Amino acid sequence: MLKKIIYLSLSVAFLATGIISCKTGDVARAENKAVPAEFAGAVADSANSASVKWKQFFTDPNLTALIDTALQNNQELNITMQEINISQNEIRARKGEYLPSAGLRGGAGVDKVSRYTNIGALEHNIAIVDGKENPEPLQDYTIGAYATWEVDIWKKLRNSKKAAVNRYLASVEGKNFMVTNLISEIANSYYELLALDNQLAIINQNIGIQTNALEIVKLQKEAARVTELAVRRFQAQVLNTQSLQYEIKQRIVETENRINFLVGRFPQHVDRSTETFDNLVPQVVQAGLPSQLLANRPDIRQAEFNLEAAKLDVKSARARFYPQLGITAGIGYRAFDPSYIVKPQSLIYSLAGDLTAPLINRNSIKAAYNTANAKQLQAVFDYERTILNAYIEVANQISKVSNLQSSYELKAKEVEALNQSSAISNDLFKSARADYMEVLMTQRDALESKFDLIETRLQQMNSMVNIYRSLGGGWK
């Protein structure tokens, strides 16, 4: 009879499972991993700079020292490290859910019932030990062990644990992506600091040149060769250049403090190279193949792990529609007197199993299932968006490297031409063959062209750093 009941219950449960399964189809959409065979404007080659470690990619010892310090002290990175620990604990929690749970239990109590009730009258007339009636009030002592276990038939709990593992791996990749961005941000700020130092040196040099020109104009005024207007215009030019000096100094302070923030320390001087910024030459970065982005970019791998977790969440949510099998067991001793607690007659035990399946009012389960499906689609779109963004970033930087190189070459020629023009205008002015406005305009154009040349070189260095980051380099 018991077997018939069990078989009947299982049959009903599996029938309900079949009916439910027909109504809970996944809203699935396969992710698109396809990428072009090569980057636009680049020759297809498997050589990839992303495999180069950052200590080999950046050779300036001052820059590498800053990066080393940042990897230890950056607060945002340390916060992310704690997110990884949280994800690890989530795995332990999910693993514990599908393993049996066991514990010890002990208890003591007292119970007094009225004799003028059916239970009280019955207990009064029953002798338990040595012909004696029940003690009054009745004490109750219990010791024992118990265990509970939800049998994970449909892998609901296992899939939940696997999803937690994938989210842990995603958090690790998130940390790697942050490391890549942190390194590139420090490198870009460092090169900006070198550029500002170079601009400050140029300003100081121009202040000297303009001051000498001012003195010459004053002498010419005394000789009645120019008017007071020329003196005032030259003086204004000197003052304007001197004001630029303090603007550059302020930008240097702010850039230093930005670096100090990234490395996790209070404002202080940032040690840096004294080499002329123009002498820095950006190294050649090999882009490799677009398909290599899937393995090298931490943000793509993070999106991939999140997608796998979302798929497992759908499976776990679907399993909630199916029958759940739970087993409980217990064993111990129970008696009304502590002296009887270990007697064989005081032994108690229990074993029970229950099979439950939702039939009506499943709105909360359906809502959770639909939400899991929607999140899975979100993860698919996010994964595809991340791949597309990575490809475009690299393509943009490849084009930028080429265009900046051509721009730098032309600007270098412009600086050379304007330097010669400045010298010629000064000579012509001394011999009264050129107007002072021509001298001032030429000096201003020469200064601006030098600043533009430094700015172009800075963009080249930043582009070198950014393409290295876009390829997925820096976290290894």
Side-chain angles (χ1 to χ4, degrees):
M1 183 64 181
L2 180 59
K3 289 183 178 180
K4 289 182 178 180
I5 295 174
I6 294 175
Y7 291 150
L8 180 60
S9 300
L10 290 174
S11 299
V12 171
F14 282 108
L15 178 61
T17 301
I19 296 173
I20 293 168
S21 299
C22 296
K23 297 182 179 180
T24 57
D26 293 350
V27 185
R29 180 184 180 278
E31 64 275 12
N32 182 13
K33 297 183 178 181
V35 292
E38 60 187 31
F39 292 108
V43 179
D45 189 353
S46 60
N48 196 317
S49 294
S51 60
V52 179
K53 296 182 178 180
W54 68 265
K55 285 189 176 181
Q56 298 171 348
F57 188 81
F58 299 106
T59 57
D60 189 323
N62 293 308
L63 175 56
T64 56
L66 289 171
I67 295 174
D68 262 328
T69 305
L71 294 179
Q72 296 295 325
N73 298 337
N74 182 265
Q75 287 88 351
E76 190 172 357
L77 183 59
N78 288 328
I79 291 172
T80 303
M81 293 298 294
Q82 297 308 309
E83 292 292 336
I84 294 176
N85 292 334
I86 293 172
S87 299
Q88 286 179 321
N89 293 328
E90 188 69 17
I91 294 174
R92 295 189 185 98
R94 292 290 179 264
K95 184 177 180 180
E97 288 180 354
Y98 70 79
L99 296 176
S101 175
L104 298 175
R105 178 184 294 131
V110 63
D111 187 24
K112 169 66 173 68
V113 299
S114 171
R115 181 167 297 185
Y116 302 107
T117 61
N118 57 345
I119 296 176
L122 182 63
E123 291 180 351
H124 177 70
N125 293 321
I126 294 178
I128 296 182
V129 181
D130 299 331
K132 297 180 180 179
E133 63 182 26
N134 279 329
E136 193 176 4
L138 183 65
Q139 301 178 41
D140 187 12
Y141 300 94
T142 305
I143 59 172
Y146 67 92
T148 59
W149 183 32
E150 180 181 345
V151 184
D152 195 19
I153 303 175
W154 316 111
K155 296 184 179 180
K156 177 187 72 173
L157 301 177
R158 283 181 172 82
N159 285 330
S160 180
K161 181 248 184 181
K162 290 179 181 178
V165 171
N166 278 282
R167 288 194 172 87
Y168 161 73
L169 296 174
S171 67
V172 173
E173 294 299 336
K175 183 268 296 183
N176 293 337
F177 189 55
M178 181 173 290
V179 167
T180 296
N181 288 329
L182 177 62
I183 290 174
S184 64
E185 191 172 355
I186 290 175
N188 284 333
S189 297
Y190 181 80
Y191 291 131
E192 182 181 352
L193 195 56
L194 296 183
L196 290 171
D197 286 344
N198 201 248
Q199 287 179 345
L200 184 61
I202 291 174
I203 286 177
N204 291 332
Q205 181 182 2
N206 272 267
I207 290 174
I209 294 173
Q210 292 172 358
T211 302
N212 291 334
L214 175 61
E215 295 301 323
I216 293 173
V217 172
K218 288 180 179 179
L219 293 175
Q220 289 182 337
K221 177 181 177 295
E222 292 176 359
R225 293 177 59 185
V226 296
T227 65
E228 180 67 18
L229 178 60
V231 175
R232 294 303 180 187
R233 292 301 298 266
F234 271 88
Q235 187 179 27
Q237 183 70 21
V238 173
L239 295 173
N240 179 266
T241 306
Q242 288 176 336
S243 68
L244 287 177
Q245 179 184 25
Y246 294 101
E247 291 180 15
I248 296 296
K249 285 183 177 181
Q250 178 59 29
R251 290 178 60 188
I252 288 175
V253 171
E254 292 176 359
T255 305
E256 281 187 322
N257 288 339
R258 188 193 316 144
I259 293 174
N260 286 322
F261 176 78
L262 292 173
V263 301
R265 67 190 186 189
F266 286 98
Q268 57 185 273
H269 175 75
V270 174
D271 294 331
R272 50 192 180 271
S273 173
T274 57
E275 183 181 2
T276 304
F277 191 68
D278 287 341
N279 294 336
L280 291 178
V281 179
Q283 60 178 289
V284 177
V285 179
Q286 296 172 310
L289 302 175
S291 57
Q292 294 173 324
L293 291 174
L294 303 181
N296 292 334
R297 287 268 301 213
D299 58 334
I300 294 179
R301 291 170 57 83
Q302 181 183 22
E304 183 179 8
F305 284 125
N306 283 330
L307 175 57
E308 292 302 317
K311 291 179 180 178
L312 291 167
D313 286 340
V314 172
K315 293 180 179 180
S316 295
R318 186 175 63 246
R320 293 182 61 190
F321 289 101
Y322 302 158
Q324 308 298 318
L325 175 61
I327 297 175
T328 59
I331 186 170
Y333 293 92
R334 186 174 185 180
F336 62 82
D337 190 314
S339 61
Y340 300 144
I341 195 71
V342 293
K343 288 182 177 293
Q345 296 87 339
S346 299
L347 178 67
I348 57 173
Y349 59 85
S350 65
L351 178 63
D354 62 274
L355 191 66
T356 59
L359 292 178
I360 59 175
N361 194 18
R362 298 178 299 160
N363 290 334
S364 62
I365 300 177
K366 289 179 180 178
Y369 177 73
N370 292 334
T371 298
N373 264 309
K375 288 184 176 180
Q376 180 189 3
L377 288 175
Q378 279 185 329
V380 171
F381 295 134
D382 180 66
Y383 180 61
E384 294 175 349
R385 179 190 61 83
T386 306
I387 294 176
L388 178 61
N389 178 67
Y391 178 86
I392 291 176
E393 280 186 1
V394 176
N396 286 343
Q397 294 302 325
I398 290 175
S399 175
K400 192 173 184 179
V401 167
S402 175
N403 290 327
L404 284 174
Q405 180 60 35
S406 300
S407 176
Y408 184 85
E409 292 172 358
L410 293 174
K411 286 185 180 297
K413 294 178 180 179
E414 179 188 2
V415 169
E416 182 180 358
L418 286 172
N419 284 337
Q420 293 175 355
S421 297
S422 180
I424 292 172
S425 66
N426 285 331
D427 292 338
L428 292 174
F429 179 72
K430 291 176 183 178
S431 60
R433 296 168 60 189
D435 185 73
Y436 68 89
M437 287 301 298
E438 292 179 298
V439 177
L440 292 175
M441 294 296 292
T442 305
Q443 287 181 350
R444 189 187 66 180
D445 292 343
L447 178 61
E448 290 180 353
S449 67
K450 290 177 183 178
F451 271 39
D452 289 343
L453 185 65
I454 293 175
E455 184 65 28
T456 303
R457 177 65 85 194
L458 174 60
Q459 291 181 23
Q460 283 185 300
M461 300 304 294
N462 289 343
S463 185
M464 175 196 72
V465 174
N466 292 336
I467 192 173
Y468 179 63
R469 179 195 63 81
S470 298
L471 291 171
W475 60 271
K476 296 180 181 179

